[in-house]
Amino acid sequence: MKEGEAFGFLGPNGAGKSTFVKMLVGLIRPTGGEASIFGEPIGSLEAKQLIGYLPELYRYQEWLTGEEVVRLHAKLCGVDAGDMERRIRELLEEVGIGLRGRDRVKHYSKGMQRRLGLACALVGGPRVVFLDEPSSALDPLGRSDVRNILRRLKAKGITLFLNSHLLEDVEVLCDRVALLNNGQILHTGTVADVLQERTRWHLRVGGFTPLLLSWSRETFGLEIRQIQLPLPPESDHVWLEAELEDEEQVGWINALIVEQGMTLYEVTKAKTRLEEWFVSAVSGLSHRGSAYDYDHRYDLEGNAAQEGDAAYPADDGCLFDCFLVCCKNARHFPFGRQVYARQHGVPG
């Protein structure tokens, strides 16, 4: 990853995405390979001071207010006490919670809790933020709000690592993407390059004859197909789609249609959606089902880890994760001392 970019991490269920993210943030110990964050080895306290983490599964203390939850994380991250309250107010305002930060978490909707998680991930002033399914379980309005927050973070130069099944969000936000399957990277590149692998053109034609489709295929090896798109009412128009190599070929097919006595009303370049690329890339490949996400671990080279290699068993609460991830000062808390000792092999 490059500093300041948004990186999309894609793959089917069971590909190993969340496991990989947990290795990067230091929650799972890899059995092999090496990785670093801004030059610091993953899992080290130096690396953790540089990152923020929003887990896919989160469960904040419902008896606390939103402000108290963020304050707890600020203390774990070692935020200066004189600057802490201002920082908390600014973050709650930035993520759209505002004065609702005075309410208890048990009164928050899923969208509000997701915003609270973003505030906790950002409170330490990270240089890179790891987001595991940041828009999961949100309605379209909530997804739009989270997307706008991430845009603002990116504009500030914060590096984003986005693990998401919502390919529309990845397409809009990310500069580069990687596709993971069974612990192996299949493709990587910029979003623009990925979407330009196939160039499709849509042509709105009047007086259409179906013979054009078979004739162009048999004579020129050119695949043209009829598709369903909105048309003017009570018209004899149809939409055709063709995959063409360049604009010169587009001009040639336009002339061909006119020569065959048809009327060409409109020609537009169709953008390949990331979802289409994703489906095409993984179609026909075997991949593990979601049940394997819990039982399998991978090292940084994609090899399956053995039982006992993980730093700790899977846990559906987020407090333990947060102590491990943002724990610049975790050793100063009673529970934090145990976590720090377990992580670094020192007396608790």
Side-chain angles (χ1 to χ4, degrees), residues 16-180:
K17 302 185 301 300
S18 293
T19 300
F20 185 72
V21 170
K22 287 181 179 180
M23 283 192 287
L24 293 180
V25 300
L27 294 177
I28 290 178
R29 187 176 300 116
T31 58
E34 295 180 355
S36 62
I37 299 174
F38 295 110
E40 303 294 344
I42 60 170
S44 66
L45 286 180
E46 292 77 13
K48 291 177 182 179
Q49 291 173 19
L50 302 173
I51 69 176
Y53 176 48
L54 177 63
E56 178 182 9
L57 300 176
Y58 54 89
R59 189 170 59 201
Y60 301 111
Q61 302 88 334
E62 63 178 18
W63 60 89
L64 296 180
T65 67
E67 289 181 351
E68 290 169 338
V69 171
V70 181
R71 188 175 296 114
L72 170 64
H73 286 76
K75 291 179 179 179
L76 291 175
C77 292
V79 175
D80 182 71
D83 191 48
M84 186 179 299
E85 295 307 314
R86 179 191 62 80
R87 177 72 176 155
I88 292 172
R89 289 194 301 271
E90 287 180 352
L91 278 175
L92 291 176
E93 191 66 35
E94 182 175 2
V95 300
I97 293 180
L99 295 178
R100 288 291 308 276
R102 300 170 183 173
D103 296 344
R104 297 190 187 278
V105 173
K106 67 180 180 180
H107 299 303
Y108 284 11
S109 65
K110 290 181 179 178
M112 290 285 289
Q113 291 192 42
R114 212 56 176 164
R115 292 184 178 91
L116 180 62
L118 277 172
C120 293
L122 297 171
V123 72
R127 292 174 63 184
V128 56
V129 180
F130 293 90
L131 303 136
D132 198 353
E133 300 290 352
S135 298
S136 63
L138 297 184
D139 59 23
L141 183 59
R143 283 177 52 198
S144 177
D145 289 343
V146 169
R147 191 185 303 156
N148 289 333
I149 292 170
L150 297 183
R151 279 199 186 101
R152 292 195 294 271
L153 296 178
K154 183 180 175 184
K156 293 179 179 180
I158 296 176
T159 306
L160 303 178
F161 187 103
L162 182 62
N163 173 21
S164 178
H165 281 116
L166 297 174
L167 302 186
E168 179 184 349
D169 292 348
V170 175
E171 185 174 334
V172 170
L173 290 168
C174 294
D175 304 296
R176 292 194 301 136
V177 296
L179 177 60
L180 185 76

Side-chain angles (χ1 to χ4, degrees), residues 100-271:
R100 288 291 308 276
R102 300 170 183 173
D103 296 344
R104 297 190 187 278
V105 173
K106 67 180 180 180
H107 299 303
Y108 284 11
S109 65
K110 290 181 179 178
M112 290 285 289
Q113 291 192 42
R114 212 56 176 164
R115 292 184 178 91
L116 180 62
L118 277 172
C120 293
L122 297 171
V123 72
R127 292 174 63 184
V128 56
V129 180
F130 293 90
L131 303 136
D132 198 353
E133 300 290 352
S135 298
S136 63
L138 297 184
D139 59 23
L141 183 59
R143 283 177 52 198
S144 177
D145 289 343
V146 169
R147 191 185 303 156
N148 289 333
I149 292 170
L150 297 183
R151 279 199 186 101
R152 292 195 294 271
L153 296 178
K154 183 180 175 184
K156 293 179 179 180
I158 296 176
T159 306
L160 303 178
F161 187 103
L162 182 62
N163 173 21
S164 178
H165 281 116
L166 297 174
L167 302 186
E168 179 184 349
D169 292 348
V170 175
E171 185 174 334
V172 170
L173 290 168
C174 294
D175 304 296
R176 292 194 301 136
V177 296
L179 177 60
L180 185 76
N181 189 53
N182 291 342
Q184 300 291 334
I185 297 291
L186 299 182
H187 300 280
T188 185
T190 67
V191 173
D193 289 342
V194 165
L195 298 182
Q196 288 175 1
E197 287 185 359
R198 300 171 59 208
T199 304
R200 296 174 297 125
W201 293 81
H202 291 165
L203 306 96
R204 183 159 62 92
V205 175
F208 170 70
T209 172
L211 291 175
L212 172 69
L213 307 184
S214 57
W215 180 70
S216 63
R217 181 173 56 251
E218 295 169 3
T219 306
F220 304 104
L222 185 61
E223 192 68 35
I224 303 176
R225 52 189 169 272
Q226 188 172 347
I227 60 173
Q228 299 296 321
L229 289 176
L231 289 167
E234 300 181 0
S235 71
D236 66 343
H237 302 176
V238 299
W239 279 104
L240 304 178
E241 182 180 79
E243 292 187 23
L244 305 173
E245 295 179 359
D246 49 39
E247 294 189 0
E248 182 178 348
Q249 203 171 53
V250 176
W252 179 83
I253 196 66
N254 291 349
L256 178 65
I257 289 173
V258 174
E259 288 175 2
Q260 298 302 311
M262 290 173 274
T263 304
L264 183 63
Y265 290 97
E266 184 178 350
V267 180
T268 58
K269 187 176 182 179
K271 182 180 178 182

